[in-house]
Amino acid sequence: KQEVTQIPAALSVPEGENLVLNCSFTDSAIYNLQWFRQDPGKGLTSLLLIQSSQREQTSGRLNASLDKSSGRSTLYIAASQPGDSATYLCAVRDSGNTPLVFGKGTRLSVIA
Amino acid sequence: DAGVIQSPRHEVTEMGQEVTLRCKPISGHNSLFWYRQTMMRGLELLIYFNNNVPIDDSGMPEDRFSAKMPNASFSTLKIQPSEPRDSAVYFCASSMGRRNYGYTFGSGTRLTVV
């Protein structure tokens, strides 16, 4: 059974700092991996999707990498801003028709 | 596209009452998922459908919970009777079975059972 772990559970950084959020999964035979952002009291917004054949995806200040063999993904946020404060969730999908399995998230606070 | 649409956004009900949550997936998506989110347990999958057929309902906590997908554009999650421990945010998501395609989530229904 796939399990997803995110470390750290919470992170507080000063504005402008570059940071890395970590995600690990137990079964490396994944279909794809998705990073989401969730603001307090809101829904989930998709940030980046990495297919199993890809190594990384980039969107603006965000870069997500995938190392299937080691069962790891990282989300890199460059030049963090207070508006980046949110919970970041990592989720993996084992096949085309199976559901995403989520980690418990990393709660990020960027201090001005 | 308007995205995944859930209703109502908020629901407050008394213990013992029936609650029905609704979801309209994105047109063309063939998979629909119901999740529940609480502080203690995070996001839990309740049930999912492929091509309107329920595939796995092992996450449904009790027989009080039921879900239907009568057609490709509509699904309901029903709780009868509701209990205070059912209080949570319920999310619906839809997707297509393609490697380059992720999930799109609705805004959720915040359920409070008093």
Side-chain angles (χ1 to χ4, degrees), chain B residues 55-68:
Chain B
I55 303 301
D56 184 353
D57 65 354
S58 61
M60 298 284 259
E62 300 169 34
D63 291 344
R64 299 183 295 106
F65 286 68
S66 63
K68 294 181 180 179

Side-chain angles (χ1 to χ4, degrees), chain B residues 22-40:
Chain B
R22 297 172 176 79
C23 176
K24 176 178 169 55
I26 290 176
S27 177
H29 284 191
N30 63 344
S31 296
L32 183 140
F33 308 84
W34 283 100
Y35 284 85
R36 177 170 70 174
Q37 187 177 41
T38 61
M39 288 292 291
M40 290 294 292

Side-chain angles (χ1 to χ4, degrees), chain A residues 64-80:
Chain A
S65 68
L66 174 64
D67 183 344
K68 275 179 48 179
S69 61
S70 66
R72 294 178 188 275
S73 176
T74 61
L75 180 66
Y76 175 82
I77 302 177
S80 58

Side-chain angles (χ1 to χ4, degrees), chain B residues 49-93:
Chain B
F49 298 83
N50 284 338
N51 298 314
N52 312 339
V53 176
I55 303 301
D56 184 353
D57 65 354
S58 61
M60 298 284 259
E62 300 169 34
D63 291 344
R64 299 183 295 106
F65 286 68
S66 63
K68 294 181 180 179
M69 192 166 186
N71 56 61
S73 60
F74 184 66
S75 176
T76 59
L77 178 68
K78 185 177 294 186
I79 308 172
Q80 166 64 18
S82 57
E83 297 183 2
R85 59 189 165 135
D86 301 331
S87 298
V89 181
Y90 291 80
F91 287 104
C92 174

